[in-house]
């Protein structure tokens, strides 16, 4: 199980998008998504924003304090197989797994900049080096981080 944590909440990867208070473990907020029974991949939290991929829709960005939607993509071909990879917040973009590779979206608006062909991997942002690190079963690679 993947957990994202900030100073107030833990965001478990349960298929739902929920924030649990660190102080008492109780639910602080829950995001339902755009369709009944919406499924979400593991979340990432960065700079007071929670990012997650929603199956069949795309990425969502929520205020970490209260779960209010900042932006949400629609119509992206996110499959159940893409939900295992949490998004990675970079400097100006957030990266999310889609069937064709890695989608690059504007941190502020969610507008898709481009998609890069990338193999299945776990991704990590190394902000000071300005690199997106990809770790696959048989390889490690570094891409420019924007």
């Amino acid at each position: 199980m993947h957990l994202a944590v900030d100073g107030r909440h833990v965001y478990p990867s349960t298929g739902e998008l929920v924030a649990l208070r660190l102080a008492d473990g109780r639910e602080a907020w829950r995001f339902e998504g755009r369709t009944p029974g919406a499924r979400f991949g593991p979340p990432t939290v960065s700079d007071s924003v929670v990012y997650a991929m929603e199956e069949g829709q795309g990425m969502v960005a929520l205020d970490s304090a209260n779960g209010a939607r900042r932006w949400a993509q629609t119509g992206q071909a996110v499959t159940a197989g893409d939900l295992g990879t949490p998004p990675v917040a970079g400097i100006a973009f957030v990266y999310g797994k889609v069937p064709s590779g890695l989608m690059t979206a504007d941190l502020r608006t969610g507008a898709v900049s481009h998609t890069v062909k990338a193999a299945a991997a776990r991704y990590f942002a190394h902000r000071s080096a300005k690199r997106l690190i990809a770790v696959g079963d048989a390889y490690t690679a570094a891409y420019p981080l924007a």
Side-chain angles (χ1 to χ4, degrees):
M1 175 187 272
H2 173 84
L3 295 174
V5 181
D6 62 16
R8 290 184 285 197
H9 301 115
V10 60
Y11 310 91
S13 59
T14 62
E16 299 177 298
L17 195 47
V18 62
L20 305 175
R21 288 191 295 266
L22 289 175
D24 60 13
R26 292 193 175 162
E27 185 176 300
W29 55 258
R30 173 181 300 272
F31 183 74
E32 298 297 333
R34 287 175 293 276
T35 58
R39 291 185 355 151
F40 296 90
T44 293
V45 63
S46 178
D47 298 325
S48 300
V49 180
V50 176
Y51 301 96
M53 299 299 285
E54 182 178 354
E55 185 176 14
Q57 296 294 323
M59 196 178 309
V60 297
L62 310 174
D63 187 295
S64 65
N66 57 22
R69 186 175 71 185
R70 291 193 175 189
W71 52 258
Q73 298 171 335
T74 58
Q76 297 292 326
V78 178
T79 67
D82 298 322
L83 296 183
T85 304
V88 177
I91 300 162
F93 295 98
V94 59
Y95 304 85
K97 181 75 179 82
V98 294
S100 59
L102 204 57
M103 172 183 60
T104 303
D106 186 284
L107 277 173
R108 294 166 292 140
T109 67
V112 175
S113 170
H114 61 283
T115 301
V116 295
K117 203 172 212 181
R122 293 183 317 150
Y123 297 94
F124 307 92
H126 192 304
R127 288 185 178 191
S128 62
K130 296 184 179 176
R131 294 288 180 254
L132 178 66
I133 309 300
V135 179
D137 289 337
Y139 74 95
T140 301
Y143 303 100
L145 180 69

